[in-house]
Amino acid sequence: MFNQPISRRESIKRIAGFSAAAAAWSWPSIAIPGQGASGRVVVVGGGFGGATAAKYLKRMAPELAVTLVEPNTRYITCPFTNLYLGGIRSFESLWHSYDELRQRYDVEVIHELATDVDVDGHTVELASGTRLAWDRLILSPGIDIRWNELDGYDEAAAEKAPHAWKPGDQSRLLRQQLAGMKQGGTFVLVAPDNPFRCPPGPYERVSMVAHYLKNHNPSAKVLLLDAKDGFSKQGLFMQGWAEHYGDMIEWVSRSNDGTVIRVDADRLEVETEFGMIHAADVLNVVPPQKAGFIADRAGVTDASGWVPVRPDTFASALVDDVYVIGDATQAAPMPKSGFIASTQGKVAARAIAAELTGRVLLPEPSWANTCYSLIAPEHGISIVGVYEVYNGQLREVPDSGGVSPMGADPLFRQLEAEYARGWYAAITQDVWGTPAS
Amino acid sequence: MQNIRLIAMMFGLLAIGFTEPVWGWQRIPEIQAVLAGTEPRMAGVRLEVPAVTQDGSSVPVTVTVDAPMRADAYVEAIHLFATRNPSPELAEYTLHPLLGRASLSTRIRLDQSQAVVALARTSDGEWLGAVESVRVTVSGCLSRAGTYTSDNHMQVRVRVPDRLRTGQVGEVRTMIQHPMETGLREDASGRVIPANIIEELHVKWDDQPVLRARWHRAMAANPYLLFSIAPAQSGALSMRWTEDTGATAEYRAAIEVRP
Ligand SMILES: Cc1cc2nc3c(=O)[nH]c(=O)nc-3n(C[C@H](O)[C@H](O)[C@H](O)COP(=O)(O)OP(=O)(O)OC[C@H]3O[C@@H](n4cnc5c(N)ncnc54)[C@H](O)[C@@H]3O)c2cc1C
């Protein structure tokens, strides 16, 4: 951190004028004579943050040796798993491969779990015992569940009451349970307090579950027990629920005793803080979360369980030469979204490429996020945020962003649903090179 | 290397955590009035607040005083302050040894990033304290409708253990539906909504007052309080909430105490 030349940073500012509106991601660069050449970067986690960082490092500085460590041979997105649950998207359509990173960008991809980090020795240890050396390390491990923080919710419980909040097979399990639910049954979703991955996620999920049930199990109920008194795009969701699903979805806020404090996965029951017992036929628990464990191993997390970062580069605030991006970070007011994780990946890649090559890279990425949610297949809504670094901290640009209007006409909602699908196609093409289908 | 990391860590904390001054809170008149010239010992109080919160309208706070709760030595009072709110006072609690433990959890409002101060007075007159800073960010993704429905105004929810063993400390959870209008908010037509808050929660064990909470306008809507009780024999816990209009709500529950 101390070797970050402030003067260079200043010069970037002057040249680029910090233009957020700068053109697409092409990489004009200005060489600073006398700075060294190549370096090794290891990226842990091939999700939205990590895969983006690996690719953009090679785009900006092809001479760097970039290794991506990711246990899974294919990545399954969380975005659009709700659509899969709703029966309007196939599971396979959520899969993405690492072929483009390997073949086109010459990233070395190792399918293993990283088990430890030695920050003094600048190495990362893999499950097989292999050690990888790095000059800079990027961690994008996403979230881990805080098992047992919610009494009774451990790994075994998640096999009966799935969370489906991490990429992978949990969403398939939940989908099977939903399809097998008895007629007139109750789907219960337990939503956590902030901060958690994808703030609008639980609300899109119950929307898509209700869409499925409306067609296959119309007398069923959806009960959303919430540890919060408000949520992202609340007005738009509630209006959409009433419009499409009548009173099928019931939302119980914290102040109406929505906070769940105990889960009994064997009996499919939950208990609220004031002692109500709710029985479920399908129980979906979105549990409390923290940064993926490898962040702890690297010593970059703080007492909150998340990772404090320097907002202009996403370098760890605690450990030199380690960068952390994505859901693992404490980047509020940025939400924990795939969109922003990918942007952070570009920011970190740019900072590292500049540091290791001595070149000044243009332009600044624009720090915007859009979270689309589908309430019904042809009813999309969105929220946009634009961010900046101000007084050394991230903030939302005043009077920027906003949400879809209330009471818009069906065509407007349909267009937003179209944009949501376009967003998914565009970002997965950008990150993993998946061709639009 | 260890040293460098330590320095880096301090540097990191300075850059990230403490841009809001946690210093100077002793000069806040409301705090000076409570301390009346005494110097608190900044020890013995654990103040748990999130370092960063995305929702300043309801920030969880837990204060635990590491001191006995015996008839001859106990924690008499706990005060909470938010240093940069329009009015710094949050709450004052008067405690009785029957609570068994000097630990309270509640929810507060924070107008902006700032330090929260907890002060506790023991029965021998000593002041203990703790300060923690909270960074408040406003996340668009978390923007809320901001409406409050009042069809269950002053409805209370309480959870009390049915039975306890002698010497066991039981947990009591309470919440009352209330907007806790600050008097600083405007309605859609731009008129100031007058202040309207729950001012007090008074808890008795049989006839003995055991806890009195005085609340100010920066307590979060739907005031929430978690406290403990350690009765020596069976009896009843009764609670009364009082609104600034004089309206009250009550709740009573028996607890069986067995050896
Ligand atoms: C239901 C749902 C819907 C969502 N919808 C949207 C949406 O519409 N739009 C949006 O922008 N975001 C959405 N999100 C959020 C999005 O999924 C996350 O914000 C995003 O995945 C974060 O990216 P990441 O790189 O931080 O973590 P991830 O994408 O989770 O990637 C982490 C990767 O790291 C790997 N990993 C972890 N630990 C290790 C280790 N020790 N060694 C090696 N590899 C490791 C994991 O296998 C994983 O592949 C949604 C989330 C959910 C749950």
Side-chain angles (χ1 to χ4, degrees):
Chain A
M1 244 147 280
F2 291 115
N3 58 15
Q4 232 170 60
I6 306 283
S7 56
R8 190 167 73 216
R9 189 147 307 288
E10 285 306 307
S11 70
I12 298 176
K13 259 192 214 176
R14 256 178 279 121
I15 297 161
F18 265 83
S19 148
W25 286 81
S26 57
W27 300 98
S29 60
I30 299 162
I32 296 183
Q35 294 261 359
S38 71
R40 290 161 304 177
V41 183
V42 172
V43 182
V44 174
F48 278 88
T52 305
K55 168 172 168 175
Y56 278 81
L57 271 167
K58 289 299 279 191
R59 278 186 62 172
M60 291 182 254
E63 70 270 38
L64 295 179
V66 178
T67 304
L68 177 67
V69 181
E70 161 63 54
N72 302 306
T73 52
R74 63 169 178 245
Y75 180 79
I76 306 173
T77 61
C78 287
F80 279 22
T81 48
N82 292 332
L83 280 61
Y84 159 66
L85 290 174
I88 59 174
R89 187 108 191 171
S90 74
F91 196 51
E92 293 73 22
S93 76
L94 310 176
W95 297 357
H96 304 278
S97 93
Y98 295 101
D99 290 348
E100 189 198 50
L101 279 177
R102 255 195 205 100
Q103 288 156 16
R104 181 151 173 222
Y105 292 99
D106 195 28
V107 171
E108 182 190 13
V109 184
I110 301 180
H111 291 301
E112 275 202 61
L113 190 72
T115 51
D116 208 353
V117 177
D118 175 357
V119 295
D120 294 336
H122 277 51
T123 59
V124 103
E125 189 175 319
L126 309 186
S128 62
T130 310
R131 271 172 195 280
L132 302 175
W134 44 265
D135 296 307
R136 297 291 182 279
L137 176 67
I138 300 184
L139 301 177
S140 188
I143 56 160
D144 271 356
I145 310 285
R146 288 178 189 267
W147 299 113
N148 285 311
E149 168 129 334
L150 191 55
D151 194 9
Y153 198 69
D154 56 16
E155 277 167 287
E159 295 305 312
K160 293 165 182 155
H163 53 80
W165 218 250
K166 289 177 68 157
D169 286 332
Q170 277 263 311
S171 36
R172 191 143 42 179
L173 175 62
L174 186 60
R175 163 84 189 151
Q176 283 159 3
Q177 292 184 349
L178 175 64
M181 188 167 90
K182 73 166 195 242
Q183 288 296 311
T186 303
F187 181 103
V188 174
L189 185 141
V190 176
D193 202 352
N194 296 318
F196 65 102
R197 157 173 284 181
C198 194
Y203 313 97
E204 182 186 63
R205 175 158 296 171
V206 296
S207 307
M208 286 290 100
V209 163
H211 169 73
Y212 177 84
L213 293 173
K214 186 178 172 182
N215 293 316
H216 298 93
N217 190 346
S219 57
K221 283 267 165 227
V222 179
L223 183 63
L224 207 176
L225 300 173
D226 208 327
K228 300 179 293 304
D229 270 339
F231 57 86
S232 177
K233 300 180 266 194
Q234 181 172 351
L236 290 162
F237 271 114
M238 296 190 91
Q239 193 179 61
W241 292 343
E243 182 184 330
H244 296 284
Y245 311 116
D247 54 9
M248 184 184 260
I249 300 173
E250 184 190 351
W251 175 63
V252 184
S253 66
R254 177 178 66 222
S255 51
N256 284 309
D257 197 18
T259 304
V260 168
I261 58 166
R262 191 177 62 83
V263 174
D264 185 336
D266 291 321
R267 305 174 63 150
L268 293 185
E269 276 178 6
V270 296
E271 181 183 340
T272 63
E273 66 170 334
F274 289 101
M276 280 280 282
I277 305 282
H278 295 279
D281 294 290
V282 174
L283 180 56
N284 178 198
V285 178
V286 182
Q289 302 154 21
K290 60 181 179 187
F293 78 93
I294 198 71
D296 250 343
R297 305 296 311 163
V300 292
T301 50
D302 69 12
S304 70
W306 303 101
V307 178
V309 287
R310 296 178 181 278
D312 49 346
T313 57
F314 281 77
S316 159
L318 304 179
V319 177
D320 286 352
D321 298 338
V322 178
Y323 290 69
V324 188
I325 53 178
D327 288 1
T329 61
Q330 217 173 65
M334 291 178 167
K336 295 189 188 300
S337 77
F339 193 134
I340 218 76
S342 176
T343 301
Q344 293 167 357
K346 293 171 185 173
V347 170
R350 181 176 184 279
I352 291 172
E355 246 181 59
L356 292 180
T357 65
R359 292 200 299 273
V360 174
L361 297 157
L362 304 173
E364 272 291 288
S366 82
W367 300 58
N369 179 69
T370 306
C371 283
Y372 290 101
S373 302
L374 288 193
I375 295 178
E378 298 305 331
H379 184 146
I381 57 174
S382 64
I383 181 162
V384 179
V386 185
Y387 308 93
E388 65 182 2
V389 179
Y390 180 79
N391 279 344
Q393 295 191 328
L394 288 166
R395 71 161 184 184
E396 205 163 337
V397 175
D399 299 320
S400 70
V403 297
S404 313
M406 291 289 285
D409 59 41
L411 180 64
F412 191 94
R413 302 296 191 215
Q414 191 187 345
L415 276 174
E416 284 222 285
E418 205 49 58
Y419 299 151
R421 289 184 279 266
W423 169 80
Y424 186 88
I427 196 162
T428 56
Q429 175 157 39
D430 183 28
V431 180
W432 295 276
T434 310
S437 50
Chain B
M1 190 61 208
Q2 216 42 41
N3 257 347
I4 295 183
R5 272 176 70 192
L6 192 67
I7 295 166
M9 205 146 118
M10 287 160 54
F11 188 75
L13 289 175
L14 284 174
I16 287 181
F18 293 109
T19 46
E20 305 305 325
V22 295
W23 305 283
W25 56 268
Q26 291 95 335
R27 285 195 296 276
I28 292 173
E30 288 82 352
I31 295 181
Q32 284 182 333
V34 165
L35 288 174
T38 52
E39 185 73 29
R41 192 155 62 88
M42 299 309 281
V45 177
R46 191 148 48 91
L47 174 59
E48 292 164 73
V49 290
V52 182
T53 179
Q54 292 160 310
D55 181 4
S57 73
S58 184
V59 181
V61 176
T62 298
V63 195
T64 307
V65 186
D66 183 20
M69 287 298 269
R70 294 192 315 257
D72 60 333
Y74 61 97
V75 177
E76 224 172 51
I78 295 176
H79 293 243
L80 288 177
F81 300 92
T83 51
R84 285 203 182 170
N85 271 357
S87 48
E89 297 120 313
L90 294 167
E92 298 107 51
Y93 303 90
T94 313
L95 293 76
H96 186 274
L98 265 176
L99 295 184
R101 196 162 54 204
S103 181
L104 303 170
S105 295
T106 187
R107 285 182 173 266
I108 61 171
R109 289 185 176 124
L110 295 178
D111 185 47
Q112 55 178 305
S113 299
Q114 58 187 292
V116 175
V117 178
L119 296 173
R121 193 179 68 241
T122 63
S123 52
D124 50 19
E126 190 186 15
W127 281 99
L128 307 172
V131 190
E132 292 293 338
S133 65
V134 181
R135 187 157 75 89
V136 180
T137 68
V138 185
S139 170
C141 255
L142 294 161
S143 64
R144 60 164 63 176
T147 48
Y148 179 84
T149 49
S150 60
D151 35 321
N152 42 15
H153 191 72
M154 290 186 78
Q155 181 194 325
V156 301
R157 283 199 170 80
V158 176
R159 187 163 195 188
V160 179
D162 300 334
R163 57 179 70 89
L164 292 171
R165 286 188 315 280
T166 319
Q168 189 187 353
V169 180
E171 194 176 73
V172 181
R173 247 175 236 264
T174 67
M175 178 161 59
I176 181 164
Q177 298 270 340
H178 201 279
M180 295 294 277
E181 283 296 350
T182 56
L184 300 171
R185 219 163 64 93
E186 291 176 355
D187 65 14
S189 59
R191 270 190 315 254
V192 172
I193 303 172
N196 174 216
I197 66 170
I198 300 283
E199 283 182 330
E200 186 184 87
L201 166 59
H202 194 181
V203 183
K204 285 183 181 173
W205 176 253
D206 291 334
D207 292 327
Q208 173 66 52
V210 291
L211 176 66
R212 184 188 294 267
R214 301 257 324 142
W215 288 328
H216 298 270
R217 61 185 179 175
M219 296 304 282
N222 309 316
Y224 173 92
L225 184 64
L226 191 139
F227 59 94
S228 53
I229 188 83
Q233 69 277 312
S234 300
L237 197 64
S238 52
M239 301 166 210
R240 196 182 67 229
W241 289 259
T242 309
E243 199 186 34
D244 50 9
T245 59
T248 60
E250 299 197 5
Y251 187 92
R252 192 170 180 283
I255 301 179
E256 192 189 326
V257 178
R258 286 193 293 205

